Amino acid sequence: MAEKKQLESYKSRRDFEKTPEPAGGAGMELWHPVYVVQKHAATRLHYDLRLEVDGVLKSWAVPKGPSADPKARRLAVPTEDHPIDYAAFEGVIPEGQYGAGTVLVWDIGTYRNLREEKPGGRGKTMAQAYAEGKIEVRLEGKKLSGAYALIRTAKQGWLFFRMKDAPAGPYEDILEKSPDSALTGRTLDEIAKGG
Ligand code: MN
């Protein structure tokens, strides 16, 4: 029931007769809590970061995409909660629909809430961490692994960056080195052509 209310914004933007995106409710069999980054070739290419929190995917649009380099702080703009089954969505959102363009699962896996593991019982749930605007997670994806933070800095903006426990660089550009789907190995073009 909680999911229903949280997904009102998601559902109000979409016509499920016209978009292949999931309407929600199917769940996700693979990883829990799920972490996903989707590469989205919409009007502007961007990346959508999503973390499962209390039955929905908390979501941010990251215009420049993630970086494995702790010195790179990436703007992350919060967007509407998405249903859990969106994590495995790859496909083409048709012209005229919200977010029209091609979606590829760039990275997927699970995560641990590092703030819950603080000693002395002072841990925070993900919902608390989200509300505070201070999330620290250990991502266990196929491409990104390690400790990452999401910090709210102003009304509209969060910053997404790797925490400083990372090994010494130099870091390669993981977006360039590994551009294709972590789920199916397909390129954006192959998905766009229905491959
Ligand atoms: Mn998007």
Side-chain angles (χ1 to χ4, degrees):
M1 290 300 106
E3 184 185 68
K4 250 185 189 164
K5 184 140 201 179
Q6 284 182 278
L7 294 177
E8 273 170 12
S9 172
Y10 174 84
K11 290 181 179 176
S12 71
R13 292 163 196 261
R14 292 171 173 81
D15 179 348
F16 296 105
E17 305 270 297
K18 293 183 177 150
T19 179
E21 295 165 288
M28 250 279 303
E29 286 176 19
L30 300 177
W31 297 275
H32 285 289
V34 66
Y35 139 75
V36 66
V37 174
Q38 281 156 317
K39 186 175 177 179
H40 185 182
T43 311
R44 277 186 194 186
L45 180 78
H46 63 273
Y47 294 77
D48 291 296
L49 167 66
R50 310 188 199 281
L51 296 173
E52 177 179 354
V53 179
D54 292 348
V56 295
L57 297 177
K58 290 292 176 192
S59 298
W60 295 261
V62 183
K64 290 186 175 175
S67 173
D69 182 346
K71 288 196 288 294
R73 298 192 162 220
R74 296 289 160 84
L75 175 67
V77 180
T79 57
E80 76 275 19
D81 295 345
H82 280 51
I84 299 294
D85 44 345
Y86 204 95
F89 172 71
E90 273 187 349
V92 179
I93 303 169
E95 280 306 313
Q97 298 303 301
Y98 181 69
T102 306
V103 177
L104 170 155
V105 175
W106 181 79
D107 195 21
I108 192 164
T110 186
Y111 74 86
R112 280 175 29 216
N113 173 11
L114 295 175
R115 295 197 63 201
E116 198 153 43
E117 299 170 9
K118 290 269 160 71
R122 291 182 292 116
K124 300 282 183 183
T125 66
M126 281 297 286
Q128 288 169 329
Y130 183 89
E132 281 182 8
K134 185 184 174 195
I135 290 172
E136 295 174 357
V137 287
R138 183 165 298 280
L139 300 180
E140 296 165 9
K142 291 170 181 273
K143 296 178 185 174
L144 297 187
S145 65
Y148 282 77
L150 270 158
I151 305 296
R152 188 170 58 221
T153 58
K155 275 184 184 160
Q156 300 288 314
W158 295 57
L159 291 174
F160 176 52
F161 54 91
R162 189 168 190 181
M163 292 166 69
K164 288 215 169 86
D165 72 341
Y171 297 92
E172 48 197 0
D173 184 341
I174 194 166
L175 302 177
E176 283 210 345
K177 184 193 153 222
S178 188
D180 302 331
S181 171
L183 264 190
T184 62
R186 294 184 296 175
T187 65
L188 274 174
D189 275 355
E190 285 167 344
I191 293 169
K193 286 172 187 145

